[in-house]
Amino acid sequence: MARVEPLPTVRFADGSVRIIDQTLLPSRYEIVSLATVALVCEAIRSLRVRGAPAIGIAGAYGILVALLEARTKSLRELCECLADATRRIGATRPTAVNLSWALDRMRSVWENATEGRAMVDALAHEADAILAEDLSMSAAMTSHGATLLRSADAVLTHCNTGGLATGGGGTALGAVFAAVGEGRRIHVFANETRPLLQGARLTAWECAQRGVPVTVLVEGAAASLLASGRVASVWVGADRIAANGDVANKVGTLGLAVLARRAGVPFYVVAPSSSIDTSRASGADIPIEHRPHDEVIRFGGVATAPEGIDAYNPAFDVTPAELIDAIVTERGVHRPPYHFARVG
Ligand code: MRU
């Protein structure tokens, strides 16, 4: 497999948001340019760019695209365009708080602007800061996470929590890569992650890119793998963490946490503080995205269930804090009971 250089995952160049089209991996590595707000929305909604921190960064740069699209207008008209773009981008995916968090940061810049021309630099500066902070939070949280890994450990992961899901540094899979970078031998078991296969397509691809041994399994095999005693720990990311430590993450995470507890295997969550939403007291308050039925009952354009059949397709579920042995952020390794409070 030819090695590619995927960093950073989301960039801004020549008036466009530039992303790796993750729907094409692992067959094709292609950078696409998103030069309109409509294209940014489509890319986030269809998971061309995905992963909580990555969609926050793409959304922030999407506001810059909106400004460039509306450049010639008066300050009042510009603000109306940016408000509309914020609403449209924010509506693409409701669960990952990083998206609304990034859009709120951009909003506080354009709402306080006193003239249109200075807005381009100010918004570019804020979006660049969101990307830079994400890279530095990844560096810190992955190195804290690596302290929980020993050489010869096998780990089980869910979804994709590597560089592709962030600005480039990753969350849970990033911690595994950090431990490997420190000289430890780690074997990754990657849950394939139905229905969109982020584990099989993206986690396995990132591991292969780095020469980290990886074994893909269907989610149904996770129970017997955990019961076999071969897995030292389970590692997942988060799309939103409530104040009490409940975690919304890719559907299937809850089942994995239950299985890990039953098998006595530690269950770790790695996420930046931009994924913590202190305004939600518990996971019951987190909005869960439901996606089109076709993702479940068709594959590669081929029907995998009778035509017209109903499907249940939540993109995320909520794992209660009591099943989580540690939540790792850029600030360190948090142990239960969790009480996340607003910082700054
Ligand atoms: O639907 P996706 O692929 O965007 O879901 C992503 C996840 O659930 C990740 O685990 C999560 O964003 C945390 S890793 C950065």
Side-chain angles (χ1 to χ4, degrees), residues 149-200:
L149 288 159
R150 291 156 310 185
S151 207
D153 275 356
V155 299
L156 177 57
T157 67
H158 190 60
C159 197
N160 169 263
T161 58
L164 289 170
T166 65
T171 59
L173 189 63
V176 172
F177 292 157
V180 170
E182 289 165 10
R184 270 159 273 168
R185 277 184 305 112
I186 311 280
H187 189 103
V188 174
F189 284 97
N191 257 355
E192 73 170 346
T193 317
R194 279 279 290 155
L196 298 178
L197 307 187
Q198 290 93 329

Side-chain angles (χ1 to χ4, degrees), residues 300-323:
V302 176
T304 55
E307 277 310 329
I309 212 82
D310 192 24
Y312 175 60
N313 191 19
F316 302 97
D317 59 26
V318 174
T319 299
E322 71 202 57
L323 294 177

Side-chain angles (χ1 to χ4, degrees), residues 85-162:
T86 301
R87 186 189 50 70
R88 285 163 61 203
I89 296 171
T92 53
R93 299 200 73 193
T95 302
V97 70
N98 312 62
L99 182 56
S100 52
W101 170 85
L103 293 171
D104 285 348
R105 279 184 60 163
M106 298 299 278
R107 186 203 316 272
S108 71
V109 172
W110 60 259
E111 272 186 351
N112 290 317
T114 49
E115 54 103 16
R117 265 168 310 164
M119 252 198 223
V120 178
D121 286 346
L123 287 175
H125 182 269
E126 190 65 9
D128 287 346
I130 288 169
L131 170 59
E133 286 167 32
D134 184 73
L135 291 168
S136 87
M137 286 192 286
S138 273
M141 77 180 118
T142 57
S143 101
H144 292 309
T147 64
L148 300 170
L149 288 159
R150 291 156 310 185
S151 207
D153 275 356
V155 299
L156 177 57
T157 67
H158 190 60
C159 197
N160 169 263
T161 58

